[in-house]
Amino acid sequence: MIRPRVDEHVRLDDRVMAAVLVVARDVAMVRPSERSTVTVSMATGAALEQPHPIMDTRTLSTTYCTFMSEDGQKPILAAPGGFLSRSRTVAPPNWSRWLVPPAALSVHLAIGQAYAWSVFKPPLESALHVSGTGSALPFQLGIVMLGLSAAFGGPMVERNGPRWAMFVSMICFSSGFLLAALGVSTSQYWLVVFGYGFVGGIGLGIGYISPVSTLMKWFPDRPGMATGIAIMGFGGGALIASPWSTQMLGTFGTDTGGIATTFLVHGLVYAVFMSMGVLLVRVPPVGWVPRGWVPAKAAARALITTANVSARNAIRTPQFWCLWVVLCFNVTAGIGILEKAAPMIRDFFANTATPVSVGAAAGFVALLSLANMTGRIVWSSTSDLIGRKNMYRVYLGVGALLYLTIALAGNAHNFVFILCAIGILSFYGGGFATAPAYLKDLFGTYQVGAIHGRLLTAWSTAGVLGPLIINAIADSQKAAGRTGPALYTTSLYIMIGLLVVGFLANELIRPVNPRFHEPQVAEMGPQETLLTRQGGS
Amino acid sequence: MADQGETARHIPLMILAWAWVVLPFGYGVYQLLLKLTQLFAG
């Protein structure tokens, strides 16, 4: 237990009645050097120019500070900070939480454009004379930067709040396009790679995690659904960008001038589109909970905690690494099929009476994209009802059975193949979208965005692992003279093995040991506050 | 917080905010469905 010093007085403006509520761990977020300092005070009186004596103490369990009106209902004065600061985004009492998902979507739908980069590859290759490998560099660097900035920028996002994070994301992502436009117009390809890949990639990572903890604070009763909406948006971003970018290249042309103009328009349009999220996003006021929702009742369910674990402590727990394995192998299984979908279905049914045409294979890829996107919202929302652990049992267990069905059925029935692939891809999307809510259940909302950022390294790993397994084995089988389903059978059994390992890792997940929990401020009486550990999960 | 009366005050903003994201998303899904028809045509 830590006995805090009450050593900070805040000068208030001329508004009447304010309470300054700062929790120890929030002070730690603002000034890491003052980790053991807590100030919990209620000051009364108008036009306070001098430090005011402490009148009362309060318990608070949110991750920001605010100034409240006398009745404690209305935030009347933001803590020091500019328009982008967390304290300036505290929602007024009549704010609807249903305004927060569109704010999140405006960011995720924009940054999801990254998966439509392939549209720019052929024009760049012919206009700037770069190789296929070279034209993929901006995307690859962008994905690397997404992982790095999400993993390392998480604590900054938590500290500065969602508006700051969305603003940084907007600036980086849009600037990336503008730099790329400059690079193309001056035939400096390195600038395209640096702009879109490095600068834009930082925007991808910060943008991806920016709304996560805010959504879960607004929707503690339905965290799976809330994050499912946002993460579905990331998948939807490519659906918008792919035809839109194609049409724009058709309009402006595919020479350097046309590509540069297309990049310029992308940068400007995405800046405007994302600014809606920057302006609209709000964090809930201190102590806000949905009407009729009782945290203690929700926490009575297995694996749902009311305690909080910092990002630094989270990666020291076995639960984090079990979930890392779960996500990594679930994504590996899905991404393997997704990346190879078109050639895979054509190879599978090449020697049958019903071969699959190029056009039909493209339709199959579109169907899988739809399954991936729908799975994100449907399965993630379902996890609010049946629990996160059970949901991952379905993703991994049923996913393994679907892979087994494909392996055993071979090329006997194409509808069996298609149905199983739809199921696998919906579980792939669902696995992505349910992960933040699983983290919230295990580690609380305190730094869940930062923890999620670190978990995304599992995605990066799977992004390499999945295609590597499928492609390497298919190539070796082809070299051995095999055709049809035999090209993929070994890969399918490897995927089944990975899913089983993931299933076992999920079974090992238990509530986090209380020694990792953050201290909680408990009310002790006027002018004295005690920090204690929070209760069990 | 967001009871019916309070939500009603935000209806225009709510419509604008959701339209802002749903319209482009709908465009993307429409384009996807056009591609999807090729699966059954092939």
Side-chain angles (χ1 to χ4, degrees):
Chain A
M1 292 191 295
I2 307 163
R3 227 170 245 284
R5 296 177 290 129
V6 179
D7 62 356
E8 179 177 309
H9 298 276
V10 180
R11 199 171 73 175
L12 305 174
D13 70 2
D14 58 358
R15 296 172 196 244
V16 179
M17 302 295 287
V20 182
L21 304 169
V22 183
V23 178
R25 62 170 183 269
D26 305 323
V27 174
M29 291 291 286
V30 178
R31 286 184 292 276
S33 61
E34 297 183 21
R35 186 170 177 77
S36 62
T37 301
V38 63
T39 300
V40 182
S41 68
M42 174 173 279
T44 60
L48 299 175
E49 294 296 332
Q50 300 297 321
H52 197 276
I54 300 299
M55 303 296 291
D56 195 3
T57 57
R58 288 286 182 273
T59 301
L60 187 64
S61 60
T62 53
T63 56
Y64 52 87
C65 61
T66 189
F67 295 72
M68 304 298 288
S69 59
E70 185 179 11
D71 59 4
Q73 295 297 310
K74 186 181 175 189
I76 60 169
L77 175 65
F83 173 72
L84 299 176
S85 67
R86 174 184 282 279
S87 54
R88 291 284 295 274
T89 59
V90 176
N94 59 348
W95 195 257
S96 169
R97 62 176 175 166
W98 289 100
L99 286 165
V100 182
L105 274 172
S106 74
V107 172
H108 271 233
L109 282 173
I111 61 175
Q113 180 279 337
Y115 277 128
W117 172 256
S118 57
V119 170
F120 296 116
K121 278 169 60 73
L124 282 172
E125 286 164 21
S126 60
L128 295 180
H129 309 291
V130 292
S131 65
T133 309
S135 67
L137 273 179
F139 170 75
Q140 287 170 336
L141 182 58
I143 294 299
V144 169
M145 291 310 297
L146 186 158
L148 291 175
S149 55
F152 295 109
M156 234 180 342
V157 170
E158 296 288 358
R159 186 166 60 241
N160 295 320
R163 181 175 286 167
W164 176 88
M166 288 180 177
F167 181 77
V168 169
S169 173
M170 179 190 78
I171 294 294
C172 290
F173 189 62
S174 298
S175 302
F177 269 114
L178 300 183
L179 286 169
L182 184 66
V184 173
S185 63
T186 57
S187 296
Q188 299 290 319
Y189 188 65
W190 68 269
L191 198 52
V192 180
V193 177
F194 174 76
Y196 186 89
F198 187 82
V199 180
I202 293 172
L204 296 181
I206 300 295
Y208 194 91
I209 60 173
S210 63
V212 168
S213 63
T214 304
L215 280 167
M216 282 194 278
K217 282 169 192 153
W218 277 113
F219 293 89
D221 50 340
R222 282 177 277 184
M225 180 213 68
T227 53
I229 290 174
I231 292 173
M232 180 186 70
F234 192 78
L239 298 186
I240 300 168
S242 181
W244 180 56
S245 303
T246 305
Q247 285 175 0
M248 213 176 298
L249 285 168
T251 304
F252 296 125
T254 52
D255 57 351
T256 52
I259 300 169
T261 311
T262 302
F263 281 158
L264 181 70
V265 173
H266 274 68
L268 297 177
V269 169
Y270 278 127
V272 173
F273 188 72
M274 294 170 83
S275 65
M276 197 277 282
V278 176
L279 296 172
L280 198 61
V281 72
R282 296 286 187 283
V283 293
V286 172
W288 180 88
V289 289
R291 191 179 295 277
W293 184 73
V294 182
K297 196 176 168 187
R301 292 176 65 173
L303 280 179
I304 297 181
T305 182
T306 54
N308 287 296
V309 179
S310 69
R312 179 182 297 210
N313 276 337
I315 58 170
R316 294 175 181 154
T317 64
Q319 286 81 0
F320 176 87
W321 293 107
C322 283
L323 196 50
W324 194 97
V325 169
V326 165
L327 184 67
C328 181
F329 289 170
N330 187 55
V331 173
T332 302
I335 214 167
I337 273 200
L338 190 64
E339 195 262 348
K340 193 90 176 164
M344 194 172 179
I345 192 170
R346 297 201 72 210
D347 289 339
F348 244 79
F349 298 99
N351 304 323
T352 64
T354 54
V356 177
S357 68
V358 176
F364 175 63
V365 174
L367 185 65
L368 294 189
S369 299
L370 196 62
N372 173 13
M373 207 172 55
T374 312
R376 292 178 188 226
I377 183 69
V378 171
W379 296 128
S380 191
S381 301
T382 306
S383 75
D384 289 334
L385 302 174
I386 67 171
R388 251 56 78 174
K389 192 167 185 172
N390 286 334
M391 199 68 250
Y392 273 93
R393 282 176 175 141
V394 173
Y395 297 153
L396 299 155
V398 179
L401 291 176
L402 291 175
Y403 261 112
L404 186 64
T405 306
I406 291 179
L408 295 177
N411 56 6
H413 306 285
N414 54 13
F415 70 90
V416 171
F417 179 90
I418 291 171
L419 284 179
C420 289
I422 287 173
I424 289 167
L425 262 294
S426 77
F427 293 157
Y428 163 80
F432 262 125
T434 313
Y438 209 162
L439 290 173
K440 182 248 174 198
D441 288 355
L442 291 168
F443 303 113
T445 55
Y446 171 40
Q447 290 192 336
V448 67
I451 300 168
H452 183 221
R454 293 175 188 193
L455 189 73
L456 291 181
T457 51
W459 174 16
S460 307
T461 308
V464 175
L465 208 58
L468 191 71
I469 293 169
I470 292 273
N471 287 317
I473 292 175
D475 288 347
S476 68
Q477 296 292 327
K478 203 170 272 185
R482 295 197 174 86
T483 58
L487 291 173
Y488 301 98
T489 308
T490 309
S491 303
L492 295 176
Y493 284 114
I494 289 175
M495 296 301 173
I496 292 167
L498 292 178
L499 287 170
V500 169
V501 173
F503 189 92
L504 294 175
N506 185 48
E507 290 305 309
L508 292 175
I509 293 177
R510 297 280 184 274
V512 173
N513 189 317
R515 73 192 167 93
F516 293 109
H517 292 169
E518 287 296 293
Q520 184 188 34
V521 181
E523 192 169 359
M524 296 299 290
Q527 300 190 38
E528 185 177 31
T529 307
L530 199 64
L531 294 179
T532 60
R533 294 277 167 191
Q534 289 181 306
S537 298
Chain B
M1 168 176 289
D3 65 13
Q4 288 183 342
E6 289 159 348
T7 304
R9 287 207 293 270
H10 284 115
I11 283 177
L13 182 59
M14 191 84 74
I15 291 171
L16 175 69
W18 278 102
W20 188 264
V21 292
V22 166
L23 289 178
F25 185 66
Y27 162 76
V29 171
Y30 172 71
Q31 294 288 335
L32 181 77
L33 292 176
L34 289 181
K35 269 189 196 169
L36 189 60
T37 54
Q38 297 175 54
L39 174 64
F40 304 103

